Amino acid sequence: MHVQSMPMPAPLERDMMPRPAPSFMGQQQPDYRIHELNKRLQQRNEESDNLWWDAFATEFFEDDASLTLTFCLEDGPKRYTIGRTLIPRYFRSIFEGGVTDLHYVLKHSKESFHNTTINLDCEQAAMVTQHGKPMFPYVITEGRLLLEFTFDDLMRIRSWHFAIRQHRELIPRSVIGMQPVDPTMMEQMSKNITRQGLTNYTLNFLRLCVILEPMQELMSRHKAYGLNPRDCLKTTLFQKWQRMVAPVGKDSARPPSKRRKRKASSSNNSGPNNNNRDVPPSGKQKRSPGPHGFNIGSSVPGDVMVVGEPTLMGGEFGDEDERLITRLENSQFEGTGAGPDDEGAEQKFSGSPAWGQGDKKTPPTSAAGPPPSSGNSEPEIKTE
């Protein structure tokens, strides 16, 4: 039986064969996501427009992601933080500054899991860029890379922080061999083309982001509502002022409560005894108009109690809050018994609009004058 052995693939073919993605607790490993990011950057060409860069950022970065770069220049330490909207422009600025290739190299990275995120900490991270003519140098920017991934199927980056420590610029030996030994050329080659591994084009973009980042809300509002810049600025500042003055944990949109005024029912304005209801009450005590046929003097033993506005949690209700108030009457009380307090009760409630509804007694006197009468009869005056 002849067994034909399969030929082993060449080293180059073996490297090009697809490899399964390793898993991290059922998910891809963070460093493999960086490998996919490098592959996507290699697919970039000169015709890649804004749509391509937006798709790139959407695939690898969360909607609320942030990218931070920290490094030290001649004038001191710098720290730049940009939001999700400017992340595709940052990567694009690297290539527009003369870079032809970009990839990241991670060595001895550490992964940790925290609830809904996966953190990657790499002390020996490097950003390798290759520049174009005339010297085709390689720039290796070393530093610490801190990444925070979402723990889901997409596993996108939520936070990117690259702290640059140092950088090296390497010129191929073949470039030096092609050029004649010229002191001027050697002096030009000895000068750095980057600052801390970043081109002047990218540094200018990061300085511009200091101005562009706070204006993202203005530009979004202008794009959504079509307002002019001045109106966008006024609206944004007004909303920020509202958020600053609004107390924490309370709804500032609720208007202040107002005292609700009781509205007289239509039945109170109609009837034969309308004139008696127009008589103002005597004294400073508040009174409520009673129904027809209800005699306060014979039914209420003492002072009239006024129901105030309902309150809740220390605040008062407004016009939109209505509460039903039920009045309970004591049927066991006998108001027909004669006593020494009857005359006082009659005089006390003589100014009530409901006084004319009960027993027809001598009309009371008041400071406002006698009650209106019909015909030419003269009003009676009660003397004590």
Side-chain angles (χ1 to χ4, degrees):
M1 183 177 180
H2 178 70
V3 179
Q4 184 178 1
S5 60
M6 298 294 294
M8 293 295 294
L12 182 60
E13 297 178 355
R14 185 168 59 250
D15 293 339
M16 297 298 294
M17 294 176 62
R19 301 177 182 178
S23 60
F24 180 80
M25 296 181 64
Q27 302 290 332
Q28 297 179 357
Q29 286 189 358
D31 55 354
Y32 188 77
R33 286 293 290 170
I34 300 300
H35 173 69
E36 292 181 342
L37 184 142
N38 293 335
K39 290 175 60 178
R40 182 55 58 90
L41 289 175
Q42 292 175 0
Q43 298 175 3
R44 184 208 65 88
N45 52 38
E46 298 297 334
E47 299 179 356
S48 299
D49 54 0
N50 292 332
L51 296 178
W52 190 92
W53 286 107
D54 289 340
F56 163 79
T58 304
E59 180 179 358
F60 293 99
F61 291 89
E62 276 281 293
D63 296 337
D64 56 347
S66 63
L67 187 146
T68 303
L69 295 176
T70 56
F71 48 88
C72 187
L73 296 179
E74 296 82 2
D75 54 347
K78 305 294 180 181
R79 180 186 179 94
Y80 296 99
T81 301
I82 59 178
R84 166 64 179 80
T85 308
L86 298 176
I87 288 178
R89 298 186 183 183
Y90 162 73
F91 284 97
R92 186 174 184 177
S93 70
I94 296 177
F95 289 92
E96 291 179 350
V99 174
T100 59
D101 182 73
L102 167 66
H103 64 276
Y104 293 88
V105 179
L106 306 182
K107 295 181 180 180
H108 309 292
S109 60
K110 300 178 182 179
E111 297 90 4
S112 59
F113 172 73
H114 299 282
N115 294 334
T116 60
T117 60
I118 301 175
N119 296 342
L120 181 141
D121 186 359
C122 184
E123 286 283 353
Q124 302 180 13
M127 180 181 68
V128 182
T129 58
Q130 182 181 6
H131 294 251
K133 296 178 180 180
M135 295 175 292
F136 302 97
Y138 283 88
V139 180
I140 302 176
T141 307
E142 300 176 351
R144 180 182 182 183
L145 183 62
L146 299 174
L147 300 179
E148 182 180 346
F149 295 85
T150 58
F151 188 65
D152 53 12
D153 296 336
L154 298 178
M155 197 173 178
R156 296 188 296 181
I157 300 173
R158 181 176 298 174
S159 175
W160 175 297
H161 186 185
F162 188 34
I164 300 175
R165 288 193 297 263
Q166 62 181 358
H167 81 289
R168 293 176 295 167
E169 297 183 3
L170 308 179
I171 301 176
R173 186 183 298 273
S174 58
V175 175
I176 301 178
M178 292 172 56
Q179 302 292 338
V181 179
D182 186 2
T184 305
M185 192 67 174
M186 292 298 295
E187 183 180 0
Q188 183 179 358
M189 289 183 178
S190 63
K191 295 181 179 180
N192 291 336
I193 61 175
T194 64
R195 300 174 63 186
Q196 287 292 341
L198 302 175
T199 62
N200 290 330
Y201 190 92
T202 303
L203 286 175
N204 292 334
F205 170 77
L206 292 176
R207 296 190 187 101
L208 186 61
C209 287
V210 178
I211 304 175
L212 291 178
E213 188 66 28
M215 295 179 62
Q216 290 299 311
E217 186 174 357
L218 296 178
M219 292 185 287
S220 300
R221 191 179 300 276
H222 170 72
K223 185 177 180 180
Y225 302 103
L227 302 176
N228 56 49
R230 184 180 296 273
D231 293 340
C232 291
L233 181 60
K234 288 182 179 179
T235 307
T236 304
L237 291 178
F238 179 72
Q239 292 184 355
K240 286 184 176 295
W241 175 81
Q242 281 185 326
R243 290 193 292 265
M244 290 174 58
V245 301
V248 180
K250 293 185 179 181
D251 187 9
S252 60
R254 181 183 178 93
S257 60
K258 301 179 181 179
R259 297 286 298 182
R260 184 172 75 247
K261 297 181 179 180
R262 296 187 178 275
K263 300 179 180 179
S265 59
S266 59
S267 60
N268 294 339
N269 299 329
S270 62
N273 298 323
N274 253 354
N275 295 332
N276 294 338
R277 295 181 182 274
D278 297 335
V279 178
S282 61
K284 298 182 180 179
Q285 191 173 6
K286 297 182 180 179
R287 295 176 178 85
S288 176
H292 293 283
F294 179 74
N295 191 350
I296 298 181
S298 61
S299 300
V300 180
D303 296 339
V304 177
M305 304 195 63
V306 180
V307 180
E309 297 292 335
T311 59
L312 179 65
M313 298 295 289
E316 297 180 350
F317 289 94
D319 295 339
E320 69 277 4
D321 300 308
E322 294 292 340
R323 297 294 184 271
L324 180 61
I325 300 177
T326 304
R327 182 177 60 191
L328 300 179
E329 298 182 359
N330 189 0
S331 59
Q332 299 178 358
F333 174 74
E334 296 294 336
T336 58
D341 295 336
D342 288 347
E343 294 184 6
E346 292 177 2
Q347 294 181 2
K348 188 175 183 179
F349 301 103
S350 60
S352 174
W355 177 261
Q357 304 292 335
D359 300 333
K360 301 298 181 179
K361 295 184 179 181
T362 305
T365 61
S366 61
S373 59
S374 59
N376 299 325
S377 60
E378 296 182 357
E380 296 181 6
I381 300 177
K382 182 180 180 181
T383 60
E384 297 181 357

